[in-house]
Amino acid sequence: LITSQRHTFHPGAVVTSIVRSSNDNRGKALKAPSDGLLEPGDLIVGINGQKILLSKTDDTLAAQNSLTDLISDIRSTPKGESINLSVIKKGTKTTTTTTNPSKTKQQQKPVDITIKPTPSLDKNGNPTGPQSIGAMLTTNYISSHAKVMHASSLADGIVKSFVAVKDLTMVTATTLYGLLGSILSGKGMPAGVSMSGPIGVIQSGADIVAASSSSSRGSTAAVVSAMAMFASTISINLAVVNSLPLPALDGGQLVFVLIEAVLRRKIDQ
């Protein structure tokens, strides 16, 4: 048996916090565009008539890309223009009645909210960043679950293990190299991407284990699976970082080895 941890994402981007109003050094109120319009827990499901992530998915990269696209659309809004967001407000529901009363469903209905993005401002009122709605967003993460793959033989198990590791490595490498490329090109951090230190990594691990325990009603096997998957993810992250072609890393040493193999002589490092 081969167990891998899968994360389920539903369509939309969740508002986690709002930048509240503040005053600059001249006493002028600096109000975030979304202040009073959005609240933590609201779910953005569309922008300018386009849906965010069309269906439920277990593809972490697809969910992250949908969030990145949303933030990129907000940032690319021309100065002075507004965007139209389709938002499911926290706690709002509408009842849909079918011909069978026993099959009445509770469905959430989005509302249209118009917001005019503005750039981040410093205390002097000068722009310090791209267009923003003044809200922190994250993917619409629902749960984690263990996916068990059955191998018919040792060879089949090795192949499936290789595919699982390859998929995780590709997601990690794509995110990391995209991050570095964006920073080196002067664009800064990509939309929807953040970095964490040791404390953030520990917090992420705790959140994953807690979510797995909750979704599986405390199953020991599910918690152990979540911990093993998280540990493997950290290991793959370290491996990808270590492969970067920098002198202090193994990737840099590999570059020197390849150059020496081509030149057929030793290089003074």
Side-chain angles (χ1 to χ4, degrees):
L1 298 180
I2 304 170
T3 304
S4 63
Q5 196 73 12
R6 295 290 181 177
H7 307 296
T8 301
F9 300 87
H10 280 196
V14 179
V15 178
T16 59
S17 62
I18 302 295
V19 178
R20 300 303 178 183
S21 302
S22 60
N23 295 326
D24 61 16
N25 58 4
R26 294 171 294 180
K28 183 180 179 181
L30 301 176
K31 186 177 181 181
S34 60
D35 193 4
L37 298 174
L38 298 176
E39 292 293 337
D42 288 350
L43 179 64
I44 301 175
V45 295
I47 177 172
N48 296 330
Q50 299 294 321
K51 292 184 178 180
I52 302 173
L53 194 65
L54 298 180
S55 62
K56 181 176 71 173
T57 181
D58 290 339
D59 189 335
T60 302
L61 186 58
Q64 182 62 49
N65 285 341
S66 70
L67 177 63
T68 300
D69 291 342
L70 169 63
I71 297 176
S72 296
D73 288 342
I74 294 173
R75 290 181 174 180
S76 62
T77 303
K79 183 179 179 180
E81 294 190 10
S82 300
I83 57 174
N84 185 57
L85 300 178
S86 297
V87 181
I88 296 177
K89 302 296 291 182
K90 182 180 179 181
T92 59
K93 294 184 178 180
T94 58
T95 302
T96 301
T97 304
T98 62
T99 54
N100 186 346
S102 64
K103 294 184 178 181
T104 299
K105 299 179 180 179
Q106 293 289 336
Q107 293 184 343
Q108 296 173 311
K109 184 178 180 180
V111 296
D112 291 332
I113 296 178
T114 300
I115 298 178
K116 181 183 291 185
T118 60
S120 302
L121 304 176
D122 60 18
K123 291 185 177 181
N124 296 319
N126 299 317
T128 60
Q131 296 281 72
S132 171
I133 60 173
M136 297 294 292
L137 307 176
T138 188
T139 52
N140 190 14
Y141 169 78
I142 300 299
S143 64
S144 294
H145 59 279
K147 180 181 180 181
V148 179
M149 295 178 285
H150 297 266
S152 59
S153 64
L154 177 60
D156 185 41
I158 293 175
V159 171
K160 288 183 176 178
S161 297
F162 175 79
V163 171
V165 172
K166 182 208 69 172
D167 291 343
L168 185 55
T169 303
M170 288 297 296
V171 171
T172 303
T174 300
T175 303
L176 177 62
Y177 287 115
L179 169 64
L180 292 177
S182 183
I183 292 176
L184 293 176
S185 63
K187 297 179 181 178
M189 293 284 287
V193 175
S194 60
M195 300 179 67
S196 298
I199 295 178
V201 172
I202 293 174
Q203 182 61 54
S204 297
D207 292 342
I208 290 174
V209 171
S212 178
S213 178
S214 175
S215 63
S216 60
R217 299 181 181 180
S219 169
T220 302
V223 173
V224 171
S225 173
M227 294 175 62
M229 185 61 183
F230 182 69
S232 64
T233 301
I234 295 298
S235 297
I236 289 175
N237 270 269
L238 292 175
V240 172
V241 171
N242 202 35
S243 69
L244 294 174
L246 300 177
L249 302 177
D250 288 346
Q253 297 301 313
L254 180 60
V255 170
F256 282 113
V257 170
L258 293 175
I259 293 176
E260 289 174 353
V262 173
L263 298 179
R264 298 180 180 276
R265 63 183 177 84
K266 191 73 174 178
I267 296 179
D268 185 4
Q269 299 185 28

